[in-house]
């Protein structure tokens, strides 16, 4: 059992005690909120803090969550959990409301908690299920896929169910040991013709990814939907030699941002009750976004199309990869059979939709361009889609979520509507993007009033300004990227 005991303070902050498995720890509290870092460390999680943004990354037991000031939708592994009010920072300490601990942190530690309002005391106990000493869960089946995309190789260990694991780096490779689970291996050993991975071996509850050469590095992390462990293998980056007199640092190369106006050509997209076509309004807004972004962050903006032309979903992402873009923004106008549907929505990629409406939006936007030929890895081959997701977007999940939240926050002001929230869905146009990528539904073209707004140059300019502001905020909090500034001389949208 663990206990938070609130102690009063005259300055609005207070001390509390945290008792867990017989040990007591100090924990800070502010009103009805508690220190996220103190609680996470007491539960045995590793906590790292970004000194620039104050964002905490919490890892342990095969899980990862990211939390920072203003966060109300918490990325946990590959899902997002909404809490009642945003987290806040007080004197550099991140505090969260009680439901963060009940819905997010305690479940990761396999614990549950209740709050005694009279005593102002949290009482938390370990969850029942598979406590130490009980019978382990059933056998765990594992399948293996190995794919190399320069400069790394990813070994995907797809699991039949979610399971805890411990990674261990050894001289010859990286081992993944599943905890308290009997593993049904697909083979004892399989060799691979890969530049970095020589073989994968199974022995008991452990899988070993064998390096092809000494000196390689690797990391392992979990993903869900479907459940899997991803082992990423690469070469260590050597530090450059120190020169006696270093030359002046080179100018920061121009950041490239790709803006994708949805639909085009024979693919009109959604059509409003007054006849406004989605392909036209997305191009108009995209041009305004392309002009607004360089005024906020030094960058070169490229449009996937600058005319009424048809481009396949895969070609749009390919252009962003070819341009080595730092960001991919796909613009669309929403449509719904529900007459009252209105407002904006911002999505980032997931193989599973966050709700039914998100699933419908993805199905609508994933319609192929008439006459185009589906590429391998389409919906007819979900395993290839699953690998594609791992390779392209898993490393950018947290950044895509943060960008989506920033854009949605700005668009709520423009739309003057209740927050529809950020969502996840399997949008084809986002799959395969090797950078943070989001899809923005700027409004419901099916709603008569919003269709009129979408025709308005003033409304389009306000939407473009809101998106540009969010992009500037995103890069201002991202170390090592182009500085926020005025427009770079000579930067103009590039037509495809």
């Amino acid at each position: 059992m663990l206990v938070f005991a609130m102690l009063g303070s005259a300055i609005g902050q207070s001390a509390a005690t945290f008792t867990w498995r017989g040990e007591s720890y100090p924990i800070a509290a502010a009103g009805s909120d508690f220190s996220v870092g103190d609680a996470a460390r007491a539960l045995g999680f590793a906590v790292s803090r970004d000194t620039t943004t104050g964002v905490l990354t919490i890892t342990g037991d095969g899980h990862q969550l990211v939390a920072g000031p203003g966060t109300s939708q918490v990325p946990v592994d590959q899902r997002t959990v909404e809490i009642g009010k945003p987290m806040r920072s007080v004197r550099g300490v991140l505090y969260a409301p009680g439901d963060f601990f009940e819905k997010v942190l305690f479940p990761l530690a396999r614990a549950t908690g209740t709050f005694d309002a009279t005593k102002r005391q949290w009482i938390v106990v370990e969850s029942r299920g598979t406590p130490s000493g009980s019978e382990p869960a059933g056998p765990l089946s594992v399948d293996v896929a190995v794919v190399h995309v320069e400069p790394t190789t990813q070994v995907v260990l797809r699991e039949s169910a979610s399971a805890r694991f411990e990674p261990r780096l050894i001289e010859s490779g990286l081992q993944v040991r599943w905890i308290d689970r009997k593993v049904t291996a697909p083979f004892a050993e399989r060799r691979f013709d890969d530049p970095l991975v020589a073989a994968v071996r199974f022995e008991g509850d452990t899988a070993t990814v064998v390096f092809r050469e000494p000196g390689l590095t690797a990391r392992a992390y979990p993903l869900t939907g479907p459940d899997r462990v991803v082992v990423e293998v690469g070469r260590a980056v050597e530090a450059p030699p120190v020169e006696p007199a270093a030359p002046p640092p080179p100018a920061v190369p121009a950041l490239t941002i790709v803006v994708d106006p949805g639909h085009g050509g024979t693919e009109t997209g959604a059509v409003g009750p007054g006849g406004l076509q989605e392909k036209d309004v997305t191009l108009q807004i995209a041009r305004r976004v392309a002009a607004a972004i360089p005024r906020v962050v030094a960058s070169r903006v490229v449009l996937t199309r600058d005319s009424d032309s048809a481009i396949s979903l895969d070609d749009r992402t390919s252009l962003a990869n070819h341009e080595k873009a730092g960001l991919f923004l796909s613009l669309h106008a929403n449509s719904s059979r529900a007459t009252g549907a209105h407002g904006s929505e911002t999505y980032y990629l997931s193989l599973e939709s966050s709700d039914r409406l998100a699933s419908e939006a993805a199905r609508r936007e994933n319609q192929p361009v008439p006459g185009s030929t589906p590429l391998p890895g389409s919906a007819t081959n979900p395993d290839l889609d699953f690998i594609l997701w791992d390779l392209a977007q898993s490393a950018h999940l947290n950044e895509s979520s943060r960008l989506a939240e920033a854009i949605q926050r700005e668009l709520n002001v423009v739309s003057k509507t209740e927050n529809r929230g950020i969502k996840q869905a399997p949008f084809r146009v986002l799959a395969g993007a090797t950078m943070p990528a989001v899809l923005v539904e700027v409004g419901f073209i099916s709603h008569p009033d919003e269709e009129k707004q979408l025709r308005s140059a003033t409304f389009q300019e306000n939407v473009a300004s809101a998106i540009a502001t969010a992009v500037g905020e995103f890069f201002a909090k991202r170390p090592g990227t182009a500085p926020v500034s005025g427009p770079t001389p000579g930067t103009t949208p590039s037509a495809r």
Side-chain angles (χ1 to χ4, degrees):
M1 177 173 37
L2 107 170
V3 177
F4 291 106
M6 295 292 300
L7 305 176
S9 171
I11 61 172
Q13 291 176 281
S14 58
T17 57
F18 188 111
T19 304
W20 174 242
R21 294 175 176 170
E23 297 289 336
S24 294
Y25 307 89
I27 180 171
S32 61
D33 298 341
F34 299 90
S35 166
V36 175
D38 288 350
R41 292 186 189 95
L43 288 168
F45 293 109
V47 180
S48 62
R49 181 177 184 270
D50 187 317
T51 56
T52 303
T53 63
V55 171
L56 301 185
T57 301
I58 299 172
T59 55
D61 279 344
H63 299 289
Q64 174 177 289
L65 71 87
V66 179
T71 299
S72 59
Q73 300 198 29
V74 186
V76 182
D77 296 331
Q78 198 193 329
R79 58 193 174 92
T80 301
V81 180
E82 185 171 0
I83 58 178
K85 66 177 183 179
M87 301 183 191
R88 57 188 173 122
S89 179
V90 180
R91 299 179 183 176
V93 178
L94 183 65
Y95 293 90
D99 64 342
F100 165 79
F101 300 93
E102 294 173 336
K103 296 165 65 175
V104 180
L105 194 60
F106 294 161
L108 293 188
R110 293 190 294 181
T112 58
T114 57
F115 182 66
D116 187 327
T118 303
K119 296 180 180 179
R120 292 188 58 76
Q121 183 180 72
W122 278 101
I123 301 175
V124 182
V125 297
E126 291 185 81
S127 301
R128 297 182 179 180
T130 313
S132 178
S134 66
E135 290 295 323
L140 181 73
S141 298
V142 179
D143 292 322
V144 179
V146 177
V147 181
H148 180 78
V149 174
E150 193 65 33
T152 64
T153 292
Q154 293 202 0
V155 179
V156 182
L157 306 173
R158 187 169 185 173
E159 305 161 303
S160 58
S162 177
R164 294 191 302 141
F165 70 94
E166 290 180 346
R168 186 165 75 96
L169 191 63
I170 59 177
E171 184 175 352
S172 61
L174 185 138
Q175 292 182 333
V176 174
R177 185 180 72 85
W178 283 274
I179 301 171
D180 298 330
R181 295 298 292 270
K182 180 180 179 181
V183 176
T184 303
F187 47 79
E189 177 179 299
R190 179 174 294 170
R191 307 196 68 81
F192 295 90
D193 184 18
D194 182 271
L196 301 179
V197 173
V200 175
R201 298 172 183 152
F202 285 88
E203 184 175 355
D205 58 2
T206 301
T208 303
V209 176
V210 182
F211 294 162
R212 186 165 294 281
E213 60 189 57
L216 297 179
T217 63
R219 65 186 183 113
Y221 53 91
L223 290 174
T224 59
D227 296 304
R228 66 255 197 216
V229 178
V230 180
V231 178
E232 186 174 87
V233 182
R235 292 184 172 87
V237 178
E238 297 183 1
V242 178
E243 299 180 5
V252 177
L255 169 71
T256 297
I257 295 174
V258 171
V259 178
D260 171 44
H263 307 284
T266 57
E267 188 192 5
T268 62
V271 179
L276 180 62
Q277 295 184 354
E278 182 180 0
K279 68 172 183 176
D280 295 329
V281 73
T282 57
L283 180 57
Q284 293 163 9
I285 294 176
R287 287 170 175 164
R288 297 180 188 276
V289 171
I293 287 178
R295 294 195 290 266
V296 179
V297 59
S299 59
R300 179 177 72 100
V301 181
V302 178
L303 297 179
T304 57
R305 66 180 181 94
D306 199 14
S307 62
D308 186 15
S309 55
I311 303 173
S312 74
L313 298 176
D314 296 295
D315 284 346
R316 296 169 191 258
T317 309
S318 296
L319 172 65
N321 293 337
H322 175 75
E323 295 288 342
K324 295 181 172 58
L327 211 63
F328 180 78
L329 306 172
S330 188
L331 305 182
H332 292 261
N334 219 334
S335 179
S336 175
R337 291 188 294 272
T339 56
H342 64 288
S344 57
E345 295 175 336
T346 309
Y347 292 83
Y348 62 102
L349 185 64
S350 171
L351 288 182
E352 295 183 352
S353 300
S354 52
D355 56 39
R356 181 181 58 81
L357 294 178
S359 178
E360 291 179 359
R363 179 187 54 77
R364 183 176 64 253
E365 302 296 1
N366 286 347
Q367 294 299 314
V369 174
S372 65
T373 302
L375 295 177
S378 66
T380 59
N381 197 332
D383 282 337
L384 288 182
D385 265 341
F386 146 69
I387 294 173
L388 181 62
W389 155 254
D390 275 319
L391 292 174
Q393 271 293 296
S394 62
H396 305 290
L397 176 66
N398 291 334
E399 287 191 318
S400 296
S401 171
R402 185 161 60 84
L403 174 62
E405 190 166 355
I407 291 175
Q408 188 61 42
R409 184 166 54 248
E410 294 296 329
L411 287 178
N412 287 340
V413 177
V414 174
S415 301
K416 296 186 175 74
T417 59
E418 193 173 315
N419 187 0
R420 295 183 67 91
I422 61 172
K423 300 183 178 183
Q424 292 180 271
F427 285 102
R428 179 73 187 183
V429 74
L430 300 182
T434 57
M435 73 288 298
V438 299
L439 184 144
V440 183
E441 299 277 11
V442 299
F444 278 82
I445 199 171
S446 57
H447 192 288
D449 291 341
E450 290 202 354
E451 182 189 23
K452 292 176 184 178
Q453 286 186 315
L454 291 170
R455 289 184 188 273
S456 163
T458 300
F459 181 78
Q460 291 182 7
E461 195 64 39
N462 289 340
V463 168
S465 177
I467 293 174
T469 298
V471 170
E473 175 188 330
F474 172 80
F475 281 111
K477 295 180 179 179
R478 189 191 201 199
T481 54
V484 175
S485 68
T488 301
T491 56
T492 56
S494 299
R496 181 170 173 84

